[in-house]
């Protein structure tokens, strides 16, 4: 719905036709807007990042069946092998902080190309490694390269899709990383038995090389106008220019002779005119509209372009952003992470997400050991059993994402069409109710050595409900951190990787001490805590989030009118 003209208090009659426009950063007008791309073009992008994301799970699990062969041929100890697994997961969670920083300089495409090239080198050297030290070092390089897609993939989808569409798209995207843990042991077992453990890394090298080729024609979705880092840097320009003018004490710049772009930026970002409310922009200032951080419908922007076509060029080009040069302080990876972690809704959601991920990682890590020791399964049969978890995860990702969108739109309609990011979390009720008993049942099925069919059923249910939960929370993290989605996802990956590292280190000792039944009864309790944390965010998250958005001066606000 288009906005209507407003007369400012104390204004003259000629101002009665002035169009008042309010824009939020996520819907700033940009050139070649990814959200206006055709469905086919978007589908190609989704398919590309989803295919590349398969490597995250595949790279961690494909050489697991070859561990005994690696120990024998490289003279490695079990501790060295465990170290390689733990470091891989930890670095995969932490290094997205670096990639999100580089993304502000280079955009998403260049980061994708650099990270896949780095991973390709790691895979090739792993395949040629003669010592366990070289293998561990190159596994770290692999993890560093693979981690970029893990954080930037979801941000890429956020660049193209509205919040009401993200649940389904996140579900499709996240099906990629979930195929890895189930397909990895099968592929690893087949390649190791047919050739050797080195074949697993040659396979990864070919896969990564193919992903690199897919990213070459990739169209970048990153836009500076929708980056809070660039907007923050742009705010400094008027202040710096005024300081320079005052220092010279010899130049007087009137509002009529200043450069329009600079003048508009100075006017909009330093102070609001006395006859307009904060957060409003006059129609004659529409060129600077992308710099606002408030709420508006896309229809409002489109009406403005139609009624004032002479200003369309200035809206699209945003010349001032092209002149912005980022400094190291602007892209300090710790600064946005600190900002993200100041928000209690983020910290609570990250912790809940980390607990769920650590639980599922512990299950896939210990299940292979249980099947080998208690059921006498070889690598291939173990991989086929774990496929049940992968199938459940895949279905949970796709169906859970669509269910998340359905519930979100339904709750939004109940509130008169006004949406908030926290409304999406209502779709986690079903997974939260059924995941804990599934985890506990899995543990006691293994403890009592029940038929492997029962293990497959429990693995399927755990995969389905855990990923239904995770796809919803992933969409929430993006929606609740407008303009900082990459940093928020990187922070989530770091906490998730840390939780998985701890889980992998304590899983086997606890399994030996209290058995699968005791271990997964404990995990069932932790999953209940994750559910309660999610419920807390659902009830109080909007209050926490809006409190910090107010402190930040509106930057990064969500956009209920557009959700």
């Amino acid at each position: 719905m288009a906005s209507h003209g407003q007369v400012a208090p104390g204004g003259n009659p000629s101002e009665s036709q002035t169009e008042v426009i309010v824009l939020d950063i996520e819907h700033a007008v940009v050139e070649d807007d990814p959200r206006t791309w055709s469905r086919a073009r978007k589908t190609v992008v989704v398919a590309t990042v989803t295919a590349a994301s398969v490597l995250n799970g595949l790279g961690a699990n494909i050489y697991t069946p070859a561990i005994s062969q690696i120990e024998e041929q490289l003279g490695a100890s079990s501790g060295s092998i465990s170290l390689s697994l733990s470091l891989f997961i930890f670095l995969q969670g932490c290094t997205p902080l670096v990639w999100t920083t580089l993304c502000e300089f280079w955009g998403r495409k260049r980061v994708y190309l650099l990270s896949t090239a780095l991973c390709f080198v790691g895979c090739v050297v792993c395949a040629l490694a003669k010592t366990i030290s070289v293998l561990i070092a190159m596994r770290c390089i692999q993890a560093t390269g693979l981690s970029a897609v893990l954080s930037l993939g979801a941000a890429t989808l956020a660049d193209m899709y509205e919040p009401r569409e993200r649940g389904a798209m996140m579900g499709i995207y996240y099906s990629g990383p979930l195929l890895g843990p189930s397909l990895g042991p099968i592929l690893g077992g087949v390649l190791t038995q047919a050739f050797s453990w080195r074949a697993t890394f040659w396979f990864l090298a070919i896969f990564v090389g193919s992903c690199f080729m897919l990213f070459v024609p990739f169209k970048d979705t990153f836009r500076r106008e929708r980056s809070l880092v660039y907007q923050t840097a742009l705010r400094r320009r008027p202040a710096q220019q005024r300081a320079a003018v005052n220092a010279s004490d010899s130049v007087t710049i009137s509002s009529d002779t200043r450069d329009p772009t600079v003048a508009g930026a100075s006017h909009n970002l330093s102070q609001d005119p006395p006859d307009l409310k904060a957060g409003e922009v006059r129609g004659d200032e529409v060129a600077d509209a992308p710099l606002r951080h408030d709420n508006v419908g896309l229809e409002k922007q489109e009406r403005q372009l139609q009624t004032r076509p002479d200003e369309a060029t200035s809206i699209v080009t945003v010349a001032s952003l092209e002149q912005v040069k980022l400094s190291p302080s602007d892209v300090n990876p710790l600064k946005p992470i600190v900002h993200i972690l100041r928000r209690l809704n983020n910290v609570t959601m990250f912790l809940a997400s980390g607990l769920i991920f650590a639980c599922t990682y512990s299950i896939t890590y210990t299940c292979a050991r249980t099947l080998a020791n208690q059921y006498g399964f070889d690598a291939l049969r173990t991989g086929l059993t774990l496929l049940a978890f992968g199938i459940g995860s895949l279905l949970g990702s796709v169906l859970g994402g669509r269910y998340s969108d359905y519930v979100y739109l339904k709750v939004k309609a109940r509130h008169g069409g006004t949406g908030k990011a926290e409304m999406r979390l209502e779709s986690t009720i079903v997974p939260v109710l059924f995941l804990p008993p599934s985890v506990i049942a899995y543990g006691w099925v293994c403890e009592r050595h029940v038929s492997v069919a029962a293990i497959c059923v429990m693995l399927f249910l755990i995969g389905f409900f855990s990923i239904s939960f995770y796809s919803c929370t992933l969409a929430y993290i993006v929606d609740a951190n407008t303009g900082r989605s990459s940093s928020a996802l990187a922070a989530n990956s770091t906490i998730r990787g840390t939780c998985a590292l701890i889980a992998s280190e304590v899983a086997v000792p606890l399994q030996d001490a209290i058995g699968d039944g005791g271990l997964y009864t404990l995990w069932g309790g932790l999953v209940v805590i994750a559910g309660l944390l999610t419920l807390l965010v659902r009830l109080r998250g909007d209050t926490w989030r809006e409190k910090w958005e107010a402190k930040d001066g509106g930057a990064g606000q969500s956009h209920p009118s557009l959700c």
Side-chain angles (χ1 to χ4, degrees):
M1 180 174 64
S3 59
H4 300 285
Q6 299 181 14
V7 182
N12 56 56
S14 65
E15 292 178 322
S16 62
Q17 300 302 317
T18 299
E19 187 84 7
V20 178
I21 298 179
V22 189
L23 293 176
D24 78 281
I25 186 173
E26 188 168 358
H27 294 85
V29 182
V30 297
E31 185 176 3
D32 190 21
D33 191 345
R35 297 188 183 183
T36 64
W37 289 354
S38 67
R39 176 175 294 184
R41 191 175 183 182
K42 291 181 179 180
T43 300
V44 170
V45 174
V46 173
T48 300
V49 296
T50 301
S53 68
V54 173
L55 288 165
N56 287 282
L58 198 62
N61 294 276
I62 193 170
Y63 92 133
T64 302
I67 286 178
S68 59
Q69 195 176 106
I70 294 174
E71 290 177 345
E72 179 182 349
Q73 293 188 15
L74 298 185
S77 64
S78 59
S80 298
I81 298 297
S82 177
L83 179 63
S84 70
L85 292 171
S86 299
L87 286 177
F88 187 94
I89 295 298
F90 181 70
L91 289 174
Q92 197 176 52
C94 292
T95 50
L97 299 177
V98 178
W99 295 123
T100 54
T101 300
L102 294 177
C103 181
E104 298 292 343
F105 282 109
W106 300 338
R108 309 208 194 283
K109 177 178 178 176
R110 292 185 182 179
V111 172
Y112 282 137
L113 290 172
L114 175 61
S115 61
T116 50
L118 188 66
C119 182
F120 178 81
V121 172
C123 292
V124 171
V125 179
C126 276
L128 300 173
K130 302 296 184 182
T131 65
I132 188 62
S133 299
V134 172
L135 183 65
I136 292 175
M138 290 301 103
R139 287 287 286 171
C140 292
I141 297 296
Q142 274 186 313
T144 301
L146 291 177
S147 65
V149 179
L150 199 62
S151 59
L152 297 185
T156 299
L157 300 191
D159 294 338
M160 299 189 298
Y161 293 99
E162 295 291 345
R164 61 181 175 270
E165 305 172 294
R166 287 177 187 164
M169 292 301 107
M170 292 295 179
I172 293 172
Y173 159 72
Y174 203 69
S175 65
L178 300 172
L179 286 175
S182 55
L183 294 180
I186 297 175
L187 290 173
V190 171
L191 291 171
T192 301
Q193 291 182 9
F195 304 100
S196 73
W197 65 270
R198 298 182 187 275
T200 61
F201 292 107
W202 286 120
F203 176 85
L204 286 177
I206 295 171
F207 199 146
V208 173
S210 301
C211 291
F212 179 87
M213 298 305 297
L214 289 175
F215 282 124
V216 171
F218 186 83
K219 184 70 174 178
D220 204 338
T221 62
F222 179 77
R223 297 293 182 269
R224 292 181 176 184
E225 294 88 344
R226 293 175 179 171
S227 167
L228 282 180
V229 173
Y230 273 94
Q231 299 296 348
T232 302
L234 183 59
R235 283 196 188 99
R236 294 197 309 269
R237 293 184 71 237
Q240 291 171 347
Q241 290 174 346
R242 288 193 299 270
V245 170
N246 294 334
S248 63
D249 201 30
S250 61
V251 179
T252 301
I253 302 178
S254 69
S255 60
D256 295 330
T257 59
R258 286 186 298 177
D259 175 73
T261 303
V262 176
S266 175
H267 174 73
N268 290 335
L269 297 176
S270 60
Q271 61 181 10
D272 292 307
D275 56 346
L276 281 181
K277 296 179 182 180
E280 295 182 346
V281 185
R282 288 191 184 279
D284 55 8
E285 294 164 349
V286 70
D288 302 301
L291 309 181
R292 306 304 300 168
H293 295 159
D294 306 298
N295 300 327
V296 71
L298 286 176
E299 299 88 348
K300 195 175 291 184
Q301 298 183 44
E302 293 170 356
R303 172 67 66 86
Q304 186 64 21
L305 288 175
Q306 294 169 1
T307 57
R308 306 179 69 95
D310 56 309
E311 292 169 348
T313 302
S314 62
I315 293 174
V316 171
T317 55
V318 194
S320 54
L321 274 172
E322 297 298 327
Q323 301 170 18
V324 172
K325 301 297 182 183
L326 297 182
S327 65
S329 61
D330 291 323
V331 292
N332 179 0
L334 296 180
K335 183 186 294 184
I337 296 302
V338 170
H339 177 92
I340 294 295
L341 294 179
R342 285 192 307 174
R343 301 189 177 193
L344 190 55
N345 64 304
N346 284 337
V347 175
T348 307
M349 202 70 259
F350 293 163
L351 182 57
S353 176
L355 287 174
I356 298 294
F357 181 78
C359 175
T360 56
Y361 185 80
S362 177
I363 288 173
T364 56
Y365 182 66
T366 59
C367 184
R369 190 168 181 261
T370 298
L371 292 173
N373 296 339
Q374 305 298 333
Y375 291 82
F377 279 19
D378 58 20
L380 184 57
R381 294 177 68 189
T382 297
L384 290 172
T385 303
L386 287 172
L387 187 60
F389 177 84
I391 294 173
S393 298
L394 183 60
L395 290 176
S397 182
V398 176
L399 298 180
R402 294 186 180 276
Y403 177 69
S404 172
D405 284 345
Y406 168 77
V407 171
Y408 177 76
L409 292 174
K410 189 175 179 180
V411 176
K412 178 183 174 182
R414 290 206 308 260
H415 289 78
T418 300
K420 293 183 178 180
E422 287 72 23
M423 292 178 179
R424 186 178 295 280
L425 296 178
E426 194 156 316
S427 61
T428 62
I429 293 176
V430 174
V432 163
L433 288 176
F434 288 97
L435 183 57
S438 299
V439 171
I440 295 172
Y442 164 79
W444 288 103
V445 163
C446 293
E447 183 78 16
R448 301 299 183 185
H449 302 164
V450 180
S451 170
V452 71
I455 295 180
C456 290
V457 171
M458 293 302 108
L459 287 174
F460 175 87
L461 293 176
I462 291 170
F464 183 85
F465 290 122
S466 64
I467 303 309
S468 296
F469 173 89
Y470 196 73
S471 62
C472 170
T473 58
L474 197 67
Y476 168 76
I477 290 169
V478 172
D479 292 348
N481 293 277
T482 304
R484 290 190 175 94
S485 57
S486 293
S487 297
L489 292 169
N492 181 53
S493 294
T494 300
I495 294 177
R496 200 179 66 154
T498 303
C499 291
L501 172 66
I502 296 172
S504 65
E505 290 297 319
V506 304
V508 172
L510 286 176
Q511 187 183 32
D512 291 337
I514 59 179
D516 285 307
L519 174 61
Y520 290 105
T521 298
L522 176 62
W523 269 118
L526 292 175
V527 170
V528 170
I529 292 176
L532 293 176
L533 292 175
T534 306
L535 176 62
L536 185 60
V537 175
R538 172 65 185 92
L539 298 175
R540 299 287 298 166
D542 58 339
T543 302
W544 296 337
R545 178 170 49 79
E546 290 166 3
K547 171 186 173 182
W548 282 106
E549 286 173 355
K551 288 185 177 181
D552 294 335
Q557 281 185 340
S558 59
H559 31 79
S561 62
L562 294 172
C563 292

